[in-house]
Amino acid sequence: MPGQEKRHMRVVLDTNVLISAFLFGGRLGRIVKLIEQGQIVPCFIISTFEELRKVLAYEKFEPIFLNAKSSTAEVI
């Protein structure tokens, strides 16, 4: 309809989904593509974002970032 802006689907994401989507791809990796394309708007509370930052700093994820020539800062 004229004068109406396009609505984007808002999606609530938790820490586990975000980590799987960003680091491991697969089916959840599609979420990253949809966010990048502006087709969905990720929604989460500040504590989820803080938890994501904390979890991504775990030593077990370091090899994944090194292999991808990336860093936690690029994901967050």
Side-chain angles (χ1 to χ4, degrees), residues 27-55:
R27 288 178 40 191
L28 291 176
R30 185 157 187 255
I31 291 172
V32 176
K33 289 186 186 349
L34 293 172
I35 292 169
E36 289 172 343
Q37 295 169 352
Q39 293 185 24
I40 64 172
V41 176
C43 299
F44 45 90
I45 57 176
I46 292 173
S47 61
T48 301
F49 184 75
E50 291 168 352
E51 181 182 25
L52 176 64
R53 186 183 321 210
K54 177 182 170 186
V55 171

Side-chain angles (χ1 to χ4, degrees), residues 41-76:
V41 176
C43 299
F44 45 90
I45 57 176
I46 292 173
S47 61
T48 301
F49 184 75
E50 291 168 352
E51 181 182 25
L52 176 64
R53 186 183 321 210
K54 177 182 170 186
V55 171
L56 288 177
Y58 288 173
E59 190 175 318
K60 70 180 183 179
F61 293 126
E62 191 173 313
I64 294 170
F65 284 110
L66 289 173
N67 187 42
K69 298 181 180 158
S70 184
S71 69
T72 304
E74 290 182 50
V75 173
I76 299 178

Side-chain angles (χ1 to χ4, degrees), residues 2 6 12-13 28 35 42 63:
K6 183 178 178 182
V12 177
L13 303 170
L28 291 176
I35 292 169

